């Protein structure tokens, strides 16, 4: 619960420090004194949006600090422990600093934190109800939220929403995959045809170079044969003298001078070596000619094969030697498209599984809502009948959606229906409730739903607007009863409500020629009597108003 609040330089507050106990604390004061300022400042420590206008004129920043006892809030203790923010004294300190330029900083137990962390932790510590919530009751989203909170199904509702989002995302992915499949159908046919052409070509590694060599050789077959034969003749078969004959004669002449000089011997050896090389060359050429054939049919085959290869290369606008790489790219693209088809099948299977999971969660949520709707309607009806609507009746209507629809908030819409007078049919709240009736219904709902809340501190900011007389006493009794099980802070204009408080805070203004400040006093028993008397009869105290105030407090407590 909230145990301490310190406010510095916020709005018209220069410095304010409060120690707050358990039970019901009534907060009263004249209109404009700043009763709601304390609650607004508290809301900032819980992550509400701030602006530069919150800073008191003159200082450069506003500083607000709220201390909570969390010994009875295990969820908050676990949340802090997970983030290494826990303290040893089972307390947590929330702090908010707002500069005159509009910048804002948040702290949890002295550690800087983002605003969303203040909101997350604050939601476990305190729940603020204001008169503005009357208008939110006209929205079906509020009805659904109230019912789910009352049913204890907030987490289940969140899971349903997540399951619906997953279905939607998967459905969009499947739709996109299907559209791509339609667009790629013609591409798939083209790829299949192109790969069939390349498969039929069956181009082997190094085949183009080999074919081009064969082509050159076959195209010049006659010239090659003539040249080879001419070389053979020059080297060994020429009647007028051949190279071999000349080499033999040369060796014979030098042999006469053997061992005469080493240069002559070396020259003779070179001639012998040349003779051997020439003989081997002649033999190689002879063997080549023996196996060489001018094959016009083979030449035609080679040229036709090269023609097919070059034609296909031109068709794909690549070099002939790039055809194998092209074939691999087309294979990769085809496999990718086939994978997309498999992905589409997988997405379809996943979508069906996600839909089934959603249906199971949604059916569980529907069952919880159906049970809680009856109880919530009965409880709120009981409360508003005590709050001055004796013939009033509230029903929670569940309107099913289409069975196959995947809706983020479940398989039904939720709406509060009210009948303000006996015999009248229940109609939507916005169509039948007057301003005063809306206030009573709102308070009845809040009193009903907070009883199921695990948040130990409840704040009611002028939720009793439009209520008076005996009904006000009932409101005060309700709030006191809630306070006996936790902590309730109530800003009120009604003496009947204030009289029920376990403690009483009085808000007043202090004005000088230079400034105006808000002060808050913890009232003693006599101070409470005087303040309730003021609320009953105005500024001038009379014995009657003081006696009435004492009686109100005696009856209330």
């Amino acid at each position: 619960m909230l145990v301490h609040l310190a406010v510095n330089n916020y709005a018209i507050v220069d410095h304010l420090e409060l120690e707050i106990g358990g039970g019901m604390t009534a907060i009263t004061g004249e209109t404009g004194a700043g009763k709601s300022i304390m609650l607004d400042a508290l809301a900032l420590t819980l992550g509400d949006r701030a602006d530069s206008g919150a800073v008191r004129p003159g200082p450069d920043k506003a500083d607000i600090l709220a201390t909570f006892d969390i010994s009875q809030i295990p969820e908050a203790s676990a949340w802090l422990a997970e983030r290494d923010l826990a303290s040893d004294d089972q307390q947590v300190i929330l702090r908010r600093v707002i500069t005159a330029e509009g910048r804002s900083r948040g702290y949890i137990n002295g550690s800087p934190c983002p605003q969303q962390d203040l909101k997350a932790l604050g939601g476990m510590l305190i729940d603020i109800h204001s008169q503005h919530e009357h208008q939110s009751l006209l929205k079906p989203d509020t009805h659904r939220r109230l019912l789910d909170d009352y049913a204890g199904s907030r987490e289940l509702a969140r899971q349903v929403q997540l399951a619906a989002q997953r279905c939607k995302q998967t459905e969009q992915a499947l739709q996109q995959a299907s559209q791509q499949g339609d667009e790629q159908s013609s591409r798939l046919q083209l790829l299949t045809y192109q790969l069939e052409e390349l498969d039929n070509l069956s181009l082997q590694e190094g085949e183009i170079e080999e074919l081009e060599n064969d082509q050159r050789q076959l195209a010049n077959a006659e010239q090659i044969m003539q040249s080879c034969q001419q070389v053979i003749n020059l080297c060994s078969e020429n009647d007028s003298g051949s190279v071999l004959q000349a080499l033999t004669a040369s060796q014979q002449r030098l042999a006469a001078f053997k061992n005469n000089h080493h240069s002559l011997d070396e020259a003779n050896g070179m001639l012998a070596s040349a003779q051997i090389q020439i003989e081997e060359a002649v033999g190689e050429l002879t063997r080549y000619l023996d196996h060489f054939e001018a094959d016009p049919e083979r030449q035609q085959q080679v040229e036709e094969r090269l023609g097919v290869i070059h034609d296909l290369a031109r068709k794909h606008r690549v070099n002939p030697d790039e055809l194998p790489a092209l074939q691999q790219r087309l294979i990769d693209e085809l496999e990718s498209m086939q994978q997309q088809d498999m992905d589409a099948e997988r997405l379809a299977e996943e979508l069906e599984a996600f839909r089934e999971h959603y249906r199971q969660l949604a059916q569980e949520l529907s069952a919880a809502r159906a049970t809680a709707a009856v109880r919530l309607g009965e409880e709120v009806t009981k409360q508003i009948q005590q709050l001055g609507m004796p013939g009033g009746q509230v029903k929670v209507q569940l309107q099913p959606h289409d069975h196959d629809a995947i809706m983020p908030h479940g398989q039904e819409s939720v709406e509060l229906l009210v009948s303000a007078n006996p015999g009248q049919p229940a109609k939507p709240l916005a169509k039948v409730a007057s301003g005063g009736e809306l206030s009573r219904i709102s308070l009845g709902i809040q009193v009903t739903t907070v009883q199921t809340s695990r948040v130990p501190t409840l704040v009611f900011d002028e939720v009793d607007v439009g209520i008076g007389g005996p009904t006000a006493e009932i409101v005060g009794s309700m709030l006191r009863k809630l306070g006996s099980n936790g902590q309730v802070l109530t800003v009120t204009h009604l003496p009947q409500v204030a009289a029920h408080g376990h403690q009483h805070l009085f808000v007043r203004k202090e004005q000088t020629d230079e400034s105006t400040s808000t002060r808050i006093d913890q009232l003693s028993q006599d101070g409470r009597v005087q303040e309730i008397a003021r609320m009953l009869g105005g500024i001038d105290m009379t014995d009657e108003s003081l006696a009435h105030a004492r009686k109100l407090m005696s009856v209330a407590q």
Side-chain angles (χ1 to χ4, degrees), residues 184-346:
Q184 292 175 348
S185 177
S186 58
R187 176 62 179 166
L188 183 63
Q189 293 179 355
L190 177 61
L191 279 176
T192 304
Y193 173 73
Q194 289 175 332
L195 281 171
E196 185 177 351
E197 279 187 321
L198 289 167
D199 287 340
N200 292 337
L201 183 63
S202 299
L203 186 61
Q204 304 299 313
E205 185 178 357
E207 182 183 357
I208 294 176
E209 183 178 359
E210 183 180 343
L211 288 170
E212 288 175 343
N213 289 334
D214 286 351
Q215 183 189 40
R216 286 192 296 272
Q217 180 173 295
L218 291 168
N220 300 310
E222 191 66 30
Q223 293 89 334
I224 291 172
M225 291 178 64
Q226 290 177 0
S227 296
C228 287
Q229 190 60 54
Q230 288 173 358
V231 171
I232 292 172
N233 291 339
L234 288 172
C235 288
S236 64
E237 297 180 359
N238 194 334
D239 294 338
S240 60
S242 66
V243 173
L244 286 176
Q245 289 173 343
L247 287 172
T248 299
S250 298
Q251 289 180 71
Q252 289 174 351
R253 291 189 180 187
L254 290 177
F257 306 103
K258 188 175 181 180
N259 299 325
N260 200 333
H261 194 277
H262 72 278
S263 295
L264 295 176
D265 293 340
E266 190 158 341
N268 193 30
M270 290 179 180
L271 290 171
S273 178
Q275 182 180 13
I276 293 171
Q277 299 241 348
I278 295 297
E279 289 175 347
E280 288 180 353
V282 169
E284 190 66 31
L285 289 172
T286 302
R287 285 190 294 275
Y288 176 77
L289 288 176
D290 288 343
H291 294 87
F292 183 83
E293 294 181 3
D295 189 347
E297 185 177 346
R298 169 62 181 162
Q299 181 179 354
Q300 183 179 356
Q301 291 174 351
V302 169
E303 290 178 350
E304 288 177 354
R305 175 68 172 166
L306 283 172
V308 171
I309 293 172
H310 282 272
D311 287 345
L312 197 54
R314 280 193 300 271
K315 183 177 180 179
H316 290 283
R317 299 181 180 180
V318 297
N319 293 325
D321 56 358
E322 295 175 345
L323 285 173
L326 170 66
Q327 185 176 14
Q328 187 58 51
R329 288 199 302 273
L330 296 179
I331 290 173
D332 293 343
E333 184 179 354
L334 181 62
E335 289 178 349
S336 175
M337 294 178 65
Q338 291 172 339
Q339 182 61 45
Q340 289 177 2
D341 289 341
M342 294 175 62
D343 288 343
E345 293 177 6
R346 175 183 57 79

Side-chain angles (χ1 to χ4, degrees), residues 214-503:
D214 286 351
Q215 183 189 40
R216 286 192 296 272
Q217 180 173 295
L218 291 168
N220 300 310
E222 191 66 30
Q223 293 89 334
I224 291 172
M225 291 178 64
Q226 290 177 0
S227 296
C228 287
Q229 190 60 54
Q230 288 173 358
V231 171
I232 292 172
N233 291 339
L234 288 172
C235 288
S236 64
E237 297 180 359
N238 194 334
D239 294 338
S240 60
S242 66
V243 173
L244 286 176
Q245 289 173 343
L247 287 172
T248 299
S250 298
Q251 289 180 71
Q252 289 174 351
R253 291 189 180 187
L254 290 177
F257 306 103
K258 188 175 181 180
N259 299 325
N260 200 333
H261 194 277
H262 72 278
S263 295
L264 295 176
D265 293 340
E266 190 158 341
N268 193 30
M270 290 179 180
L271 290 171
S273 178
Q275 182 180 13
I276 293 171
Q277 299 241 348
I278 295 297
E279 289 175 347
E280 288 180 353
V282 169
E284 190 66 31
L285 289 172
T286 302
R287 285 190 294 275
Y288 176 77
L289 288 176
D290 288 343
H291 294 87
F292 183 83
E293 294 181 3
D295 189 347
E297 185 177 346
R298 169 62 181 162
Q299 181 179 354
Q300 183 179 356
Q301 291 174 351
V302 169
E303 290 178 350
E304 288 177 354
R305 175 68 172 166
L306 283 172
V308 171
I309 293 172
H310 282 272
D311 287 345
L312 197 54
R314 280 193 300 271
K315 183 177 180 179
H316 290 283
R317 299 181 180 180
V318 297
N319 293 325
D321 56 358
E322 295 175 345
L323 285 173
L326 170 66
Q327 185 176 14
Q328 187 58 51
R329 288 199 302 273
L330 296 179
I331 290 173
D332 293 343
E333 184 179 354
L334 181 62
E335 289 178 349
S336 175
M337 294 178 65
Q338 291 172 339
Q339 182 61 45
Q340 289 177 2
D341 289 341
M342 294 175 62
D343 288 343
E345 293 177 6
R346 175 183 57 79
L347 286 170
E349 293 175 358
E350 288 182 356
L351 179 58
E352 185 54 39
F354 289 154
R355 283 175 173 168
E356 180 58 30
H357 180 61
Y358 168 84
R359 282 191 285 267
Q360 292 175 358
L361 291 173
Q363 288 171 4
E364 184 179 349
L365 179 61
S366 296
R369 283 174 174 172
T371 302
V374 176
R375 289 189 289 109
L376 179 59
E378 292 174 348
E379 285 294 324
V380 176
T381 295
K382 179 180 176 182
Q383 297 294 343
I384 67 171
Q385 287 180 354
Q386 293 180 18
L387 290 170
M389 295 178 64
Q393 189 175 24
V394 173
K395 293 182 179 180
V396 183
Q397 176 179 268
L398 302 180
Q399 185 65 40
H401 298 308
D402 179 13
H403 178 70
D404 294 328
I406 304 294
M407 305 297 289
H409 300 300
Q411 293 182 321
E412 59 278 314
S413 60
V414 179
E415 186 172 20
L416 291 178
L417 304 180
V418 62
S419 171
N421 299 295
Q424 291 183 343
K427 294 182 180 180
L429 195 61
K431 294 184 178 180
V432 296
S434 65
E437 289 170 340
L438 194 60
S439 297
R440 288 169 169 79
I441 294 169
S442 174
L443 183 58
I445 289 172
Q446 290 170 22
V447 170
T448 299
T449 56
V450 296
Q451 295 179 44
T452 63
S453 173
R454 293 178 294 179
V455 179
T457 298
L458 306 171
V459 177
F460 293 91
D461 185 8
E462 299 188 15
V463 296
D464 49 17
V465 171
I467 295 173
T471 304
E473 292 186 18
I474 297 172
V475 171
S477 176
M478 287 179 176
L479 295 177
R480 183 178 177 89
K481 183 178 179 182
L482 289 175
S484 6
N485 298 321
Q487 184 183 48
V488 172
L489 306 179
T490 304
V491 175
T492 181
H493 288 283
L494 300 178
Q496 298 94 329
V497 174
H500 283 80
H502 296 93
Q503 298 91 31

Side-chain angles (χ1 to χ4, degrees), residues 4 58-59 75 90 108 134 172 205 225 249 299 301 304 349 364 368 457 467 507 513 522-523 546 553 556-557:
H4 180 262
E75 296 91 344
Q90 286 294 294
I108 297 177
H134 299 346
Q172 290 174 342
E205 185 178 357
M225 291 178 64
Q299 181 179 354
Q301 291 174 351
E304 288 177 354
E349 293 175 358
E364 184 179 349
T457 298
I467 295 173
V507 183
D513 293 339
Q522 177 90 40
L523 296 181
L546 290 170
M553 291 180 58
Q557 300 179 19

